[in-house]
Amino acid sequence: MSVADLGTAQCDLAASTLHGSLLDPALESMNFLNEIASRYPAAISFASGRPTEAYFDVALIHQYLDVFCRYLRDDLGYSQAELNRTLFQYGRTKGIINELIARYLLTDEGITADPDSIIVTVGYQEAMFAVARALRADERDVLLSVWPAYVGMTGAARLADLPVWPVRSGPEGVDLDDLCGQVARARKAGRRARACYVMPDFANPSGVSMTVTTRRALLATAAREGLLLIEDNPYGTFHSGDHLPTLKALDTSRQVIYLGSFAKTGFPGARIGYAVADQRVSDGAGGVSPLADYLSRIKSMVTVNTPPVAQAVVGGKLLGCEFSLAKANERETAAYLSNMRQLLAGLASRFPAPADGQRQVTWNTPTGGFFAVVTLPFPADDELMELSAREYGVLWTPMSHFYAGEGGSHQARLACSQLTPELIDSGLDRFAALVTDRLAGCA
Ligand SMILES: Cc1ncc(COP(=O)(O)O)c(C=O)c1O
């Protein structure tokens, strides 16, 4: 045996000796979907919730950067050395565009946020991880979440050893009785429900939105139960004129930790997200600071600070659109809404109601966002998705991925954000062929 072989043998590791999250399906989910997508590159994808690439233009990145530099120089009075330092050096952990994000939140969402309560993160993902890490003090802590849930959230909670307990969504977007039941169950078991994760606007994956009445009732329930709410809102901008107030805009008692991302309203390549965490945390010695400061301590040991160059680009975009990403995204929103209408009409024409009105294939009808959910009369599992990719050239996401394997077995999530009208039509033809063949027992 050579010395090299000896070294390899000694370094072998069993996955079971690594952190438990590494074998968790939540962390495998993205890999599985990406792997299938890469094996069948010609397949039309209803799986990806990526933003449209129609308006990507490298020149815009230069333009945003210029606008931000001008702002530092002309509005904030930075010298050239200060400007250089801001972009080239390590930066403030909490971020450098907090003020600009606060102005955007006020302009588009009616949220009044103190810039000091904002932490700019590497995507939503880092914000969610920091919140989960902070709320998980010991093994008694659990996070509640409306189910089905975004895998980015369940994965981040898993990394932080914070168990996630499901709360039914129902047609309202949250079943408040079930929420109270889970809080009571936690109490009875000596556990602490620290917060509930919700997505009131065009949720990923369900596409469901909450009415204003439900939003207010949720806030009141959470206040009664002493529960924080974690609001995730990447899709709220893409509405059809029925923009509803976010929970954070309705929040008068610092009950809501608001998580934002510029992945869809800006572009994902910037990897810029943020948290508004204005909860007052007392240190036991008379000091009080916003939760954002504590999240910042976690961030300082994960990514040190969010790349200033990426923040500058997003900051330039915010400055350039006078802080209204709703306005800046008018073309994108129109495309997403048109795609959604086409998707829903395409499903209706390919799966018409039979004479008795009892459809075998049903779907929900979101009025915005990126996602709709189709319910099938047979299992829509990973195996069928593979077959769909291989034999029919169409990709979609089995909803079971968003239920940690305990639900959604007959459902598929269809995303239409990144497709052209032609591809939506062809993709639906292929999807309908798969469904028809499976119903006939020949797929
Ligand atoms: C529910 C949800 N939250 C947040 C995000 C954005 O995450 P990030 O900013 O890490 O790209 C996404 C993107 O897919 C999402 O679907």
Side-chain angles (χ1 to χ4, degrees):
M1 188 184 285
S2 75
V3 176
D5 289 340
L6 250 182
T8 310
Q10 282 172 351
C11 289
D12 278 353
L13 290 171
S16 59
T17 65
L18 303 177
H19 188 255
S21 64
L22 299 175
L23 293 175
D24 194 292
L27 273 75
E28 263 309 298
S29 188
M30 299 257 194
N31 286 347
F32 167 77
L33 296 169
N34 289 337
E35 200 259 322
I36 295 222
S38 68
R39 254 192 292 146
Y40 303 102
I44 296 174
S45 180
F46 288 115
S48 161
R50 293 173 172 211
T52 174
E53 295 178 5
Y55 308 111
F56 287 174
D57 179 355
V58 174
L60 285 173
I61 293 180
H62 294 276
Q63 189 184 309
Y64 297 149
L65 201 51
D66 283 347
V67 170
F68 187 74
C69 289
R70 228 178 298 129
Y71 159 76
L72 291 185
R73 230 181 352 249
D74 300 348
D75 295 15
L76 301 189
Y78 277 36
S79 66
Q80 191 59 42
E82 285 171 320
L83 202 155
N84 288 344
R85 192 172 308 125
T86 301
L87 291 182
F88 281 87
Q89 245 329 343
Y90 289 106
R92 180 174 178 259
T93 303
K94 273 170 86 175
I96 60 170
I97 56 167
N98 312 48
E99 175 76 35
L100 305 182
I101 292 175
R103 288 172 75 177
Y104 148 69
L105 286 171
L106 188 62
T107 306
D108 269 1
E109 301 295 350
I111 294 172
T112 306
D114 179 347
D116 216 36
S117 311
I118 296 174
I119 173 170
V120 187
T121 52
V122 180
Y124 148 93
Q125 199 59 38
E126 189 189 25
M128 185 62 225
F129 173 73
V131 169
R133 179 71 279 168
L135 293 180
R136 201 281 189 188
D138 61 43
E139 64 286 347
R140 284 170 297 172
D141 297 317
V142 296
L143 176 66
L144 306 182
S145 171
V146 166
W147 222 231
Y150 175 51
V151 288
M153 182 281 293
T154 38
R158 187 69 182 91
L159 287 183
D161 287 322
L162 181 63
V164 182
W165 288 13
V167 171
R168 275 196 295 273
S169 161
E172 296 296 323
V174 59
D175 178 332
L176 294 178
D177 289 339
D178 197 40
L179 173 64
C180 294
Q182 288 293 48
V183 174
R185 190 182 140 223
R187 252 184 232 127
K188 210 165 151 207
R191 312 288 293 266
R192 289 182 299 219
R194 301 301 307 260
C196 183
Y197 175 83
V198 291
M199 219 181 301
D201 294 280
F202 312 121
N204 178 9
S206 70
V208 171
S209 294
M210 296 178 194
T211 62
V212 178
T213 308
T214 303
R215 291 169 201 235
R216 289 192 193 281
L218 172 60
L219 281 164
T221 304
R224 228 176 20 248
E225 300 287 355
L227 191 68
L228 287 169
L229 296 171
I230 302 171
E231 178 176 28
D232 183 12
N233 184 24
Y235 303 105
T237 303
F238 311 114
H239 59 83
S240 53
D242 49 353
H243 190 37
L244 301 180
T246 60
L247 294 175
K248 192 66 192 160
L250 299 170
D251 179 24
T252 53
S253 53
R254 299 193 176 89
Q255 192 116 30
V256 179
I257 300 171
Y258 184 85
L259 303 185
S261 169
F262 296 109
K264 316 294 159 141
T265 51
F267 58 100
R271 301 303 303 129
I272 300 290
Y274 60 94
V276 182
D278 55 3
Q279 292 65 34
R280 290 193 185 131
V281 182
S282 49
D283 63 8
V288 177
S289 29
L291 177 61
D293 284 3
Y294 287 83
L295 300 181
S296 172
R297 291 184 191 188
I298 295 170
K299 179 177 172 59
S300 74
M301 289 297 147
V302 180
T303 55
V304 183
N305 60 258
T306 300
V309 176
Q311 292 187 70
V313 170
V314 169
K317 173 154 187 155
L318 292 173
L319 286 156
C321 67
E322 294 173 327
F323 307 102
S324 177
L325 290 175
K327 266 213 200 100
N329 278 281
E330 272 170 3
R331 281 180 313 185
E332 287 83 349
T333 302
Y336 297 144
L337 293 175
S338 162
N339 281 2
M340 180 63 78
R341 280 192 296 270
Q342 188 185 340
L343 179 79
L344 299 177
L347 286 168
S349 65
R350 285 166 182 84
F351 303 106
D356 65 1
Q358 294 296 310
R359 287 180 197 271
Q360 283 188 293
V361 177
T362 57
W363 54 92
N364 64 351
T365 53
T367 56
F370 286 12
F371 310 104
V373 174
V374 177
T375 303
L376 298 164
F378 46 77
D381 52 16
D382 288 357
E383 210 178 303
L384 186 70
M385 151 69 162
E386 244 261 59
L387 178 99
S388 173
R390 190 178 64 241
E391 304 291 332
Y392 294 84
V394 62
L395 299 164
W396 38 272
T397 309
M399 280 290 283
S400 52
H401 283 252
F402 306 103
Y403 284 90
E406 291 170 16
S409 62
H410 287 50
Q411 293 185 315
R413 187 195 73 174
L414 302 188
C416 55
S417 48
Q418 218 197 349
L419 297 175
T420 59
E422 297 72 34
L423 285 174
I424 292 176
D425 263 344
S426 309
L428 282 176
D429 285 342
R430 296 175 187 196
F431 185 71
L434 166 75
V435 172
T436 308
D437 288 354
R438 175 116 313 195
L439 281 173
C442 52

